[in-house]
Amino acid sequence: MNIILLGPPGAGKGTQAHHLVESRDMIQLSTGDMLREAKDSGSEMGRIVADVMARGDLVTDDIVIGLIREKLQGNKQGGFIFDGFPRTLAQADALADLLEEQDETLDAVVELRVDDEALVERITARSTCGGCGEVYNDITKPWPADGKCAKCGSTDIKRRSDDNEDSLRNRLMEYYKKTSPLLGYYYANGQLASVDGLGDIDEVKAAIAAALDK
Ligand code: AMP
């Protein structure tokens, strides 16, 4: 089963993708994670995208489509979760072509609906574990008092440099201008399921499971 998690920054796509990786043996393909890795590795592509990402603008379609193309040729396990991709109509068309080339289908597109105020709160409070990628939130899911990740024991707490208010405003604007039209696109294709992303993590998890098992 191949699915897209669609929603604005901070909607909980990464958190829910982690649950699906664990519960359904799926493979998370997060273009944001891939781009951050490229940036951290100091590669040429990483240098090209660094400023764009810091501003909260979208990286060019060619770059992200290339990243996804590479990953689709590898291990498929329980299917792919596209997290943060596609973000434009051109990326959505490219994904359809790439899946067809691999004799794969897109089985569901799950929209996580969250209002903007909740997004700002979530994003400014979020951190992730540098060891395993577990997502934490200063208010709803703080780091354990001993400073060690509850999942892997790492003490490497990471906060994203683009999780500040200026960049977030721009990322939201990019979402509404360029990504939200995908909701109509997938609705028209009969593939869209919308889930309330405002509940607690387990409620959202259950709502996504129900949408996928329909
Ligand atoms: P994310 O981790 O998904 O919030 O992505 C972080 C940043 O990476 C975004 O603000 C964009 O600059 C860039 N990015 C990630 N995925 C894409 C994509 N599919 N298309 C264009 N830019 C992307």
Side-chain angles (χ1 to χ4, degrees):
M1 175 177 238
N2 301 306
I3 67 165
I4 295 172
L5 291 182
L6 199 58
K13 301 185 295 292
T15 302
Q16 294 299 333
H18 281 182
H19 287 302
L20 291 168
V21 167
E22 280 169 12
S23 59
R24 297 183 185 233
D25 194 31
M26 296 178 81
I27 297 175
Q28 178 189 15
L29 296 183
S30 157
T31 41
D33 286 349
M34 294 175 208
L35 291 166
R36 275 184 290 279
E37 262 167 41
K39 217 173 59 165
D40 293 346
S41 75
S43 68
E44 196 192 332
M45 193 249 281
R47 281 197 295 277
I48 294 171
V49 300
D51 288 344
V52 179
M53 290 175 76
R55 282 196 304 273
D57 289 338
L58 290 190
V59 167
T60 61
D61 289 333
D62 285 353
I63 289 181
V64 288
I65 291 166
L67 289 170
I68 290 288
R69 178 181 289 118
E70 258 174 50
K71 301 280 180 185
L72 286 188
Q73 284 153 4
N75 186 0
K76 296 182 171 57
Q77 286 174 219
F80 296 110
I81 306 158
F82 298 97
D83 161 10
F85 179 92
R87 266 173 151 101
T88 63
L89 288 165
Q91 291 177 25
D93 283 336
L95 178 61
D97 292 344
L98 288 172
L99 287 171
E100 200 182 328
E101 279 167 26
Q102 300 284 322
D103 279 329
E104 292 283 329
T105 50
L106 178 62
D107 301 292
V109 178
V110 180
E111 175 201 11
L112 295 175
R113 265 183 288 103
V114 186
D115 67 50
D116 285 1
E117 218 150 293
L119 292 176
V120 176
E121 259 171 44
R122 278 188 184 186
I123 286 215
T124 48
R126 90 170 156 188
S127 59
T128 52
C129 171
C132 67
E134 184 73 352
V135 183
Y136 289 91
N137 179 293
D138 297 340
I139 298 147
T140 55
K141 188 184 166 190
W143 271 78
D146 65 1
K148 290 185 184 159
C149 172
K151 222 174 125 193
C152 76
S154 166
T155 53
D156 183 15
I157 304 177
K158 284 206 153 105
R159 287 193 193 265
R160 281 172 48 173
S161 56
D162 61 346
D163 277 352
N164 60 72
E165 244 181 282
D166 275 351
S167 170
L168 175 59
R169 226 179 288 284
N170 200 28
R171 281 152 70 201
L172 273 175
M173 195 52 86
E174 289 283 78
Y175 177 79
Y176 290 120
K177 279 198 299 203
K178 297 175 185 165
T179 309
S180 66
L182 297 184
L183 296 169
Y185 174 99
Y186 288 120
Y187 175 78
N189 281 347
Q191 289 166 308
L192 188 72
S194 289
V195 161
D196 180 2
L198 269 181
D200 71 30
I201 291 174
D202 286 338
E203 281 169 2
V204 180
K205 202 166 129 183
I208 292 175
L212 296 184
D213 294 334
K214 232 188 217 169

